[in-house]
């Protein structure tokens, strides 16, 4: 006997495509028909083409009690800093929603004569599957089929990655990548991790043609800031112990990374621009800023806040806009800073556009060129006269360009916006039932400008309910709708942003004296902090650091002319 059941998605029906659950009965021996009986069932997970695939799975009984697949535990421990090493690939989302990572199929003991709910999640382009089955003695193998609700435009190849994870072993990373539909996972060795001896300076052998695991490095100093060093051939020393002095500057590690063909991104920039961020960026040591990581980018920085001028008026997003306004080409990237099993790999991710066959070097090259968009669920695209993120367009004054922004989202968003030189010049209100929105305008640039698109869900309703976007989820941040399905360190709402397209008018550079002056004040505040509280191994080291910051001030003065 063969039955077909449709999903019961409840309030999510308008946000997910209907998928189908195929339940096949076999001639397995019948068990006793009583409320206490149970049986082992094999559950198969299929993609839209009917091929076995990995996914994140939650199985619950009528009373919402979690039922763990074989090889997983019902009440698995919540790690604080241990990543997922030895934890079996499980994750905890808001409201005690436990999921298990499985590949292709799994065994599970299910009670008979009970309605069992299956929830499956697989990244951002597959529909959520949420359906229930009444398990009986005749229920045989169960087949759950996932289907894509979104496909990238024909001729475009986008590959996603998490630039920032910790303390997860390669095998578990690969399983979670497959289940979350992530192509690249960078596991960062650092002063608080114990995996230094695992570094090989190349993709992990466990990688396959569509999923690349690479052990790289996060280089840190608490006040100067944190940087992600990718595509390393050798680690930057010292890896341990944690650096206490504000010397040497992180820029020394950036130079050493670039010398070996590596990529540098400023880690969790929105929450932690720190003392050295604007300095390293103006001196062109940074290839990208990790815009989406660790905190909602509309929030103000929460680390070393005393050096950020007009803190309450300058979110991490606004600081990035100010840097772009100075004519600094710093594209956006994204990562999770995963350090525990509250966080899902790729919950914050960067998509890079690649031509030809996918590999790690091409992916890094696309990051460097800014051919990217960052997202925690929406698929977002922007073109200017047909050119996409990272491109530069030369034009003459008063000549109009055509800007097209387009977003697709399974989770609810309500804003699609076009941003020029940090200001929203056009927006589209996205209605509750819309999964796709498009905004198309003609724009005349009176001066050189950077242009990008962003899409997001306003978080006012969450804030009114007491959600704190500055607190970690595991220490009181509160439940947000987004975190019902994806795990991030702090609460988030759906958000996406493209890297800029640069429109150069009459060969004049992008410049903003007001924003250059802002960063002059920022670096002056940093100097005052260093003079007052800085720790240095010698007076000569202190002089060297202060001289570097004064050089940065002069660089911003030159940009403000």
């Amino acid at each position: 006997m063969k039955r077909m059941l449709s999903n019961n998605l409840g309030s999510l029906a308008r946000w997910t495509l209907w998928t189908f659950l195929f339940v096949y009965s076999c001639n397995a021996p019948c068990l006793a028909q009583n409320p206490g009986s149970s049986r082992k069932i094999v559950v198969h997970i299929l993609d839209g083409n009917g091929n076995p695939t990995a996914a994140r799975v939650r199985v619950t009984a009528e009373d919402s009690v979690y039922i763990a697949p074989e090889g997983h535990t019902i009440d698995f421990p919540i790690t604080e800093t241990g990543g997922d090493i030895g934890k079996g690939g499980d994750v905890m989302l808001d409201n005690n929603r436990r999921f298990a990572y499985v590949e292709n199929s799994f065994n599970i003991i299910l009670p008979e004569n009970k309605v069992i709910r299956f929830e499956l999640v697989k990244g951002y382009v597959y529909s959520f599957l949420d359906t229930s089955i009444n398990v009986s003695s005749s229920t045989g193998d169960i087949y759950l089929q996932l289907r894509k609700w979104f496909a990238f435009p024909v001729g475009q190849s986008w590959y996603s990655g998490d630039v920032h994870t910790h303390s997860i072993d390669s095998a578990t990373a690969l399983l979670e990548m497959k289940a979350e539909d992530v192509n690249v996972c960078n596991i960062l060795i650092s002063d608080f991790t114990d995996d230094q001896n695992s570094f090989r300076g190349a993709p992990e052998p466990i990688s396959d043609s569509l999923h690349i695991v690479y052990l790289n490095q996060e280089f840190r100093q608490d006040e100067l800031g944190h940087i992600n060093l990718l595509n390393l051939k050798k680690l930057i020393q010292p890896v341990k112990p944690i650096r206490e002095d504000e010397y040497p500057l992180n820029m020394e590690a950036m130079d050493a990374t670039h010398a070996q063909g590596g990529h540098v991104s400023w880690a969790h920039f929105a929450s932690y621009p720190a003392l050295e961020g604007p300095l390293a960026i103006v001196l062109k040591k940074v290839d990208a800023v990790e815009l989406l990581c660790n905190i909602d980018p509309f929030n103000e920085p929460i680390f070393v806040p005393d050096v950020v001028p007009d803190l309450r008026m300058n979110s991490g997003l606004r600081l990035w806009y100010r840097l772009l306004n100075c004519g600094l080409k710093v594209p956006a990237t994204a990562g999770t800073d995963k350090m525990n099993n509250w966080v899902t790999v790729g919950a914050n991710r960067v998509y890079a556009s690649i031509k030809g066959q996918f590999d790690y070097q091409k992916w890094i090259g696309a990051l460097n060129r800014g051919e990217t968009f960052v997202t925690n669920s929406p698929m977002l695209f922007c073109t200017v006269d047909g050119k996409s993120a990272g491109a530069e367009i030369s034009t003459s004054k008063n000549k109009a360009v055509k800007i097209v922004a387009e977003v697709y989202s399974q989770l609810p968003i309500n804003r699609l916006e076009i941003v020029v030189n940090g200001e929203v010049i056009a927006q589209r209100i996205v209605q509750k039932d819309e999964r796709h929105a498009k905004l198309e305008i003609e724009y005349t640039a009176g001066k050189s400008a950077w242009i990008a698109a962003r899409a997001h869900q306003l978080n006012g309703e969450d804030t009114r309910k007491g959600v704190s976007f500055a607190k970690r989820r595991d220490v009181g941040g509160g439940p947000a709708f987004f975190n019902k399905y994806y795990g991030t360190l702090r609460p988030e709402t759906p958000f996406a942003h493209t890297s800029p397209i640069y429109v150069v008018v009459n060969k004049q550079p992008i410049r903003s004296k007001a924003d250059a002056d802002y960063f002059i004040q920022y670096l002056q505040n940093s100097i005052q902090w260093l003079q007052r509280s800085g720790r240095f191994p010698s007076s000569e080291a202190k002089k060297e650091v202060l001289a570097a910051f004064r050089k940065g001030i002069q660089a911003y003065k030159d940009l403000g002319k």
Side-chain angles (χ1 to χ4, degrees):
M1 181 179 68
K2 179 177 177 180
R3 294 183 294 161
M4 179 183 294
L5 302 178
S6 62
N7 291 339
N8 177 15
L9 298 182
S11 62
L12 272 179
R14 55 194 173 189
W15 290 104
T16 61
L17 290 181
W18 290 102
T19 58
F20 296 96
L21 168 70
F22 296 90
V23 181
Y24 291 83
S25 295
C26 64
N27 295 320
C30 292
L31 300 182
Q33 296 280 336
N34 65 71
S37 65
S38 60
R39 59 173 301 161
K40 180 185 289 188
I41 291 177
V42 181
V43 180
H44 304 265
I45 304 172
L46 308 176
D47 64 16
N49 297 319
N51 298 316
T53 192
R56 177 159 41 89
V57 178
R58 174 171 170 81
V59 184
T60 52
E62 291 173 298
D63 52 7
S64 298
V65 172
Y66 176 66
I67 305 173
E70 191 172 77
H72 299 257
T73 58
I74 295 174
D75 193 23
F76 57 83
I78 302 302
T79 62
E80 291 298 322
T81 58
D84 289 291
I85 295 177
K87 301 300 186 295
D90 296 314
V91 67
M92 168 75 83
L93 302 186
D94 282 357
N95 299 316
N96 198 38
R97 284 170 54 78
R98 296 169 184 261
F99 284 78
Y101 283 105
V102 296
E103 185 168 13
N104 301 344
S105 65
F106 60 94
N107 297 328
I108 192 165
I109 304 294
L110 295 177
E112 288 187 8
N113 303 319
K114 296 288 185 181
V115 175
I116 304 300
R117 181 183 181 188
F118 292 84
E119 296 176 76
L120 272 66
V121 179
K122 186 179 176 68
Y124 295 148
V125 303
Y126 284 85
S127 296
F128 300 136
L129 191 154
D130 188 343
T131 194
S132 298
I133 308 169
N134 193 335
V135 175
S136 70
S137 60
S138 63
T139 301
D141 286 12
I142 294 174
Y143 290 77
L144 305 176
Q145 188 163 22
L146 291 160
R147 297 185 187 278
K148 288 185 176 181
W149 67 269
F150 170 79
F152 288 101
V154 175
Q156 295 186 23
S157 297
W158 293 85
Y159 294 87
S160 65
D162 188 334
V163 304
H164 192 166
T165 70
H166 296 290
S167 302
I168 183 172
D169 60 80
S170 296
T172 304
L174 183 62
L175 171 60
E176 296 192 17
M177 291 166 65
K178 290 179 178 179
E180 299 290 354
D181 198 28
V182 175
N183 302 111
V184 179
C185 180
N186 293 278
I187 303 172
L188 304 188
I189 297 164
S190 193
D191 51 52
F192 62 91
T193 69
D194 298 316
D195 47 1
Q196 182 174 355
N197 291 335
S198 299
F199 178 79
R200 69 179 69 247
E204 292 295 287
I206 200 172
S207 303
D208 62 35
S209 62
L210 289 176
H211 306 93
I212 299 173
V213 182
Y214 201 125
L215 268 69
N216 281 298
Q217 184 177 1
E218 182 179 10
F219 198 80
R220 315 187 318 152
Q221 203 280 336
D222 282 348
E223 279 72 34
L224 294 177
H226 301 183
I227 51 175
N228 303 324
L229 310 178
L230 309 186
N231 199 29
L232 292 177
K233 307 305 181 291
K234 58 182 180 180
L235 292 173
I236 306 300
Q237 302 298 330
V239 177
K240 291 176 176 284
I242 188 169
R243 298 165 57 217
E244 295 185 356
D245 290 345
E246 280 71 57
Y247 178 88
L249 292 174
N250 287 329
M251 289 191 293
E252 184 175 293
M254 298 179 200
D255 287 340
T257 298
H258 286 141
Q260 55 179 290
H263 166 92
V264 176
S265 62
W266 193 268
H268 31 75
F269 176 82
S271 64
Y272 210 156
L275 275 69
E276 195 182 349
L279 170 64
I281 291 170
V282 76
L283 296 182
K284 300 183 179 179
K285 307 290 186 179
V286 178
D287 300 306
V289 297
E290 197 177 37
L291 178 67
L292 189 56
C293 176
N294 207 308
I295 198 170
D296 184 305
F298 286 102
N299 270 59
E300 64 197 44
I302 58 176
F303 298 103
V304 200
D306 48 335
V307 304
V308 181
D310 300 324
L311 178 67
R312 296 297 176 91
M313 300 295 291
N314 286 278
S315 65
L317 186 60
R318 187 67 193 170
L319 290 178
W320 181 51
Y321 289 173
R322 285 183 176 275
L323 291 166
L324 295 171
N325 289 348
C326 291
L328 299 167
K329 290 187 175 182
V330 275
T333 189
T336 55
D337 198 10
K338 175 180 172 66
M339 288 186 282
N340 57 42
N341 54 1
W342 281 77
V343 179
T344 54
V345 168
N348 295 324
R349 66 184 67 177
V350 56
Y351 278 87
S353 177
I354 292 178
K355 294 178 176 61
Q357 187 174 356
F358 165 67
D359 63 35
Y360 189 77
Q361 297 299 324
K362 287 183 179 179
W363 191 77
I364 289 291
L367 297 191
N368 289 336
R369 294 188 298 273
E371 297 168 355
T372 61
F373 69 90
V374 299
T375 185
N376 64 12
S377 56
M379 298 289 110
L380 180 65
F381 307 92
C382 183
T383 61
V384 178
D385 283 351
K387 303 290 186 180
S388 55
E392 182 175 302
I393 299 171
S394 296
T395 186
S396 57
K397 191 174 182 179
N398 298 324
K399 183 179 179 181
V401 295
K402 181 179 180 181
I403 306 174
V404 179
E406 197 163 11
V407 66
Y408 304 79
S409 187
Q410 181 171 205
L411 289 177
I413 57 171
N414 54 26
R415 293 289 189 279
L416 171 61
E417 299 165 328
I418 294 173
V419 182
V420 175
N421 287 353
E423 302 298 329
V424 175
I425 65 162
Q427 73 170 359
R428 161 85 185 275
I429 304 300
V430 183
Q431 302 301 319
K432 289 183 178 180
D433 292 329
E434 289 187 285
R435 299 168 57 108
H436 168 248
K438 188 174 183 179
L439 187 56
E440 188 171 335
I441 66 170
E442 295 284 330
Y443 175 74
T444 301
K447 61 179 182 179
S448 296
W450 61 268
I451 300 172
R454 74 186 187 197
H456 57 98
Q457 173 75 17
L458 296 179
N459 62 21
E461 182 177 348
D462 291 296
T463 302
R464 287 191 294 273
K465 291 179 179 178
V467 176
S468 171
F469 290 89
K471 289 184 179 179
R472 286 168 51 130
R473 288 175 48 237
D474 55 348
V475 289
F481 182 76
F482 171 84
N483 296 116
K484 182 179 180 181
Y485 297 97
Y486 303 102
T488 49
L489 192 64
R490 291 177 174 80
E492 290 187 10
T493 56
F495 174 90
H497 208 299
T498 67
S499 287
I501 301 160
Y502 306 93
V503 176
V504 179
V505 177
N506 293 341
K507 300 182 180 180
Q508 295 301 305
I510 298 170
R511 291 290 184 267
S512 167
K513 185 177 187 305
D515 291 300
D517 288 344
Y518 176 87
F519 285 113
I520 290 171
Q521 183 62 58
Y522 191 117
L523 296 188
Q524 288 173 341
N525 290 353
S526 296
I527 288 175
Q528 292 174 5
W529 189 96
L530 290 164
Q531 290 174 326
R532 179 181 67 252
S533 305
R535 295 157 294 185
F536 302 94
S538 65
S539 58
E540 289 76 14
K542 183 176 182 178
K543 290 178 181 178
E544 182 181 330
V545 167
L546 295 179
F549 275 83
R550 294 188 181 103
K551 182 179 179 181
I553 289 173
Q554 184 58 52
Y556 280 111
K557 287 181 178 178
D558 293 341
L559 292 177
K561 290 179 180 178

